[in-house]
Amino acid sequence: MAAAPPSGLVLVCGLGSLGQTCLRRLLAFDVPLSCLDWQPPRWRDAELERRLAPSFVLGDMRQPRDLLAAGVDQARSILLLSSDSTVNLEAALQIRPLNPRATVVVRSSSQRASLGVLLEQRLPGVAVVDPMLLTASVFSQSLRPSREAATIRLGRHRFELRERREGEGVSGGRRLDGSPLQVCLATPGRIRRPPWPQALRNQLQRRAGSLRERLEFWSGSAPLARLAALGRRRIWWWVGLLAALGLVLTGVALFRADRGWLLGLFVTLGLLNGEYVDPASVVLERGSLLQSGTPWTVAQQGRLLALMLVYALAGTVLTSALTALILERLLSVRLGLRRARSFPRDTHAALLVEGGSLAPLIAEQLQADGIGVVCLRAGPSEGDSGPIGSVRGPVADPSGTRPAHRIRRRDVLQLPEAFRLLRRSRVAGVALLSDDLLMNLQLALDLERRWPEARLSLKAKELPAAEVLGDLLGGLSLISSVDLAADALVATAFGETVEEVHRVEGRNLMLVRYRVEAGDTLAGLSIARVQGGYGVTAVALKTRTRSELVALPALERVLRPGQDLLVLADLEGLRRVEIGEQRPPAWRVRLQAPLASEWMFETQQCLARHLGGAPGTMAPFLDGTPQLTPALDQDLAEQLGRELRRRGVQADLVPEPVESADESSASVQPPLRE
């Protein structure tokens, strides 16, 4: 990740909606741009046309002659953004011999995922990206019932972006640059439960809502009709139960003979088990039908045997049905065709409609937080040979421990089946992931009447005013996949590894993995300097000596070559990291330590850790007079002030004057100890 010259050419091949959106992002970076497409583009922005029309080359990105005319041999980054994945991959094979040093970003689909992995392994500098899959985190966050701005999972760690509480220092989280939000480390596992007063209040509200529904049910204009509609679902269960009980009681009364009801019960159970000869012989030998001691007539015996035959036939049918049910359950579990059961009562669940290969990623992120997921699709997803109209669901039960189940259907997109699965759960959100925006909108408005409290998210391929339009439609979340993918593709073109993309407060934040190398713009800097200087937020650190990630590394920790740093940043912050443009530190700590203190040595160590140097060189700060530290970054200054006050030292923060900030920035640059 060494600093690259700002004059490196960036070549964009394919000027559709995604290509022009990437070009708008690149205009702000002041880098030379070149464009290539097989037909003249329909420019969507007049400024874009004015600045890039002279550098546009008409040609085929798979032809070396056209690529050389567009300047591929001089390019530092090449973006292949055609809607045809095959064309992009063929162009990547042509580009690598022409320019072996450039970073090549290939737009691909999930159908070419395996080929993309092989190309990345064999051709260094080639990144195959599916733009739609990068939006999974945005959709999953919009469906969560929690109110965090974003949620990030890295291994066993779970991070949340939430509002910074008043009076909470940096130890409670990591400040997000230019926002009142902070990144906090949450308890791994489920979504944070509310405190018990809030939980009790929620429970009372649910009880009151259930009581209100019952009162409305009985006070309605047609209570009998509503009762009939409600009972129609369970009437066959009650009919079957009453019929079975009636058969048992009638059999006990008829077949008890002289030995009492116990013999009648055994005979009845034997007949209902499908047996006939043994129960009939017992009854004929043991007594009279009328219990009068008189022998039975031939007609009475015939009626008795016929009645017992009816019981035996009914028992045979019941036994066969029970055996078939057991076999069906066993074979369903064995073959993976088990009918999905509805979720337990009052559990959170989400509904995903279509989405192709994007839906499993969203479902995986939701089920990690204990949210059940039902996926519906109108056709087979990419790379799936399943039947058209199959309904996936639930992907996992609320505990997140069961594998996916599939309900096979012969018709297309059966929403009633999803309603059955979700009838007892609390639907937290619904995501409409079809490429047809109007179909998504129509279905969202219909489902809003069924689940008025659920969050509704719609996929919009390209919609510049998506957030404004969503507010006008009553709070729907319209997520523009092109806008999110453009930031990730541009960041990848600059050599970064983008793990996720999040939409927070109207801007796109990317989780980026940096590999720290000797001589680049991050080596030798502390975490506080990286955050304050470049405006990014350090989330986790991977060292060579530890196999696990270090969550929210200490602000005074120094980055060494060979380490991996994961940061949360927008395009502007990533550009500053690339060119090494640091903002100077703008805060000082004014302190006054008592002359005699038992914390003297600990205070010297604290100052040495935050300011750099040996503890012995910090003695002038502890002479009992007011002192000012060198300029520090805000997070590090707040942490230092808090630790000094805990040791009995008067400390407060003083802003650094703007005119002297550049002069004092060198005072915090001496090597820090890791």
Side-chain angles (χ1 to χ4, degrees), residues 441-452:
L441 182 59
Q442 179 182 0
L443 190 56
L445 296 178
D446 291 338
L447 295 177
E448 187 178 17
R449 292 180 296 180
R450 184 179 186 92
W451 298 308

Side-chain angles (χ1 to χ4, degrees), residues 414-454:
Q414 291 292 319
L415 282 177
E417 187 67 28
F419 295 156
R420 184 190 68 81
L421 295 173
L422 300 171
R423 68 180 186 273
R424 297 189 300 172
S425 61
R426 302 171 59 189
V427 179
V430 179
L432 292 312
L433 306 175
S434 171
D435 293 332
D436 190 345
L437 177 60
L438 295 182
M439 190 192 78
N440 291 340
L441 182 59
Q442 179 182 0
L443 190 56
L445 296 178
D446 291 338
L447 295 177
E448 187 178 17
R449 292 180 296 180
R450 184 179 186 92
W451 298 308
E453 297 181 356

Side-chain angles (χ1 to χ4, degrees), residues 102-424:
T103 300
V104 182
V105 182
V106 183
R107 175 187 178 183
S108 181
S109 63
S110 300
Q111 294 177 338
R112 304 290 183 180
S114 58
L115 179 58
V117 172
L118 295 176
L119 286 179
E120 290 180 345
Q121 294 175 352
R122 297 298 181 91
L123 299 178
V126 175
V128 182
V129 181
D130 187 351
M132 296 302 104
L133 299 184
L134 296 174
T135 63
S137 300
V138 181
F139 279 102
S140 62
Q141 186 60 43
S142 65
L143 301 180
R144 286 187 176 94
S146 56
R147 298 301 176 182
E148 289 81 13
T151 302
I152 303 172
R153 281 189 175 273
L154 294 174
R156 62 182 183 87
H157 301 294
R158 182 174 183 271
F159 303 89
E160 296 175 351
L161 268 70
R162 56 174 181 257
E163 292 186 3
R164 189 176 185 182
R165 300 179 180 88
E166 185 178 358
E168 186 177 23
V170 292
S171 62
R174 191 60 55 82
R175 188 195 311 273
L176 192 64
D177 185 72
S179 172
L181 300 176
Q182 64 177 357
V183 182
C184 301
L185 182 62
T187 303
R190 306 288 184 254
I191 294 179
R192 295 184 299 109
R193 297 184 179 275
W196 72 267
Q198 181 65 29
L200 180 60
R201 189 181 305 111
N202 295 340
Q203 183 69 15
L204 293 177
Q205 290 177 355
R206 288 196 297 268
R207 296 288 184 181
S210 177
L211 180 60
R212 191 182 307 110
E213 291 178 359
R214 294 182 181 180
L215 293 177
E216 293 176 356
F217 173 81
W218 291 109
S219 61
S221 58
L224 295 181
R226 296 184 182 182
L227 181 61
L230 181 64
R232 196 177 297 118
R233 303 175 183 176
R234 301 179 179 272
I235 188 170
W236 292 111
W237 292 96
W238 288 105
V239 170
L241 182 61
L242 293 177
L245 183 60
L247 284 175
V248 173
L249 295 179
T250 304
V252 171
L254 292 177
F255 307 133
R256 60 191 180 93
D258 295 336
R259 293 292 183 92
W261 65 270
L262 190 59
L263 177 63
L265 179 62
F266 288 157
V267 171
T268 303
L269 294 179
L271 292 172
L272 293 179
N273 193 33
E275 301 177 1
Y276 178 69
V277 177
D278 292 338
S281 62
V282 169
V283 172
L284 293 177
E285 292 177 359
R286 293 296 182 180
S288 165
L289 181 64
L290 303 177
Q291 297 183 2
S292 58
T294 59
W296 290 347
T297 63
V298 176
Q300 290 176 339
Q301 293 180 1
R303 288 195 296 269
L304 179 63
L305 293 177
L307 183 61
M308 296 180 70
L309 181 61
V310 171
Y311 264 80
L313 292 176
T316 302
V317 173
L318 292 177
T319 304
S320 301
L322 183 60
T323 304
L325 179 61
I326 295 174
L327 290 177
E328 190 270 339
R329 291 295 180 89
L330 293 177
L331 292 177
S332 297
V333 174
R334 181 67 176 175
L335 300 178
L337 302 177
R338 183 173 56 182
R339 182 182 178 88
R341 296 177 297 179
S342 60
F343 295 104
R345 189 177 302 277
D346 291 337
T347 57
H348 290 295
L351 174 64
L352 308 181
V353 180
E354 296 202 29
S357 56
L358 178 62
L361 292 180
I362 300 175
E364 181 181 358
Q365 295 180 9
L366 290 175
Q367 76 181 32
D369 287 330
I371 302 175
V373 179
V374 176
C375 298
L376 304 181
R377 57 187 179 91
S381 61
E382 299 174 355
D384 189 3
S385 59
I388 294 181
S390 65
V391 182
R392 293 179 181 268
V395 171
D397 64 348
S399 63
T401 57
R402 291 185 179 178
H405 305 307
R406 179 176 297 179
I407 308 171
R408 298 191 181 274
R409 306 286 296 184
R410 290 178 296 178
D411 43 6
V412 177
L413 202 61
Q414 291 292 319
L415 282 177
E417 187 67 28
F419 295 156
R420 184 190 68 81
L421 295 173
L422 300 171
R423 68 180 186 273
R424 297 189 300 172

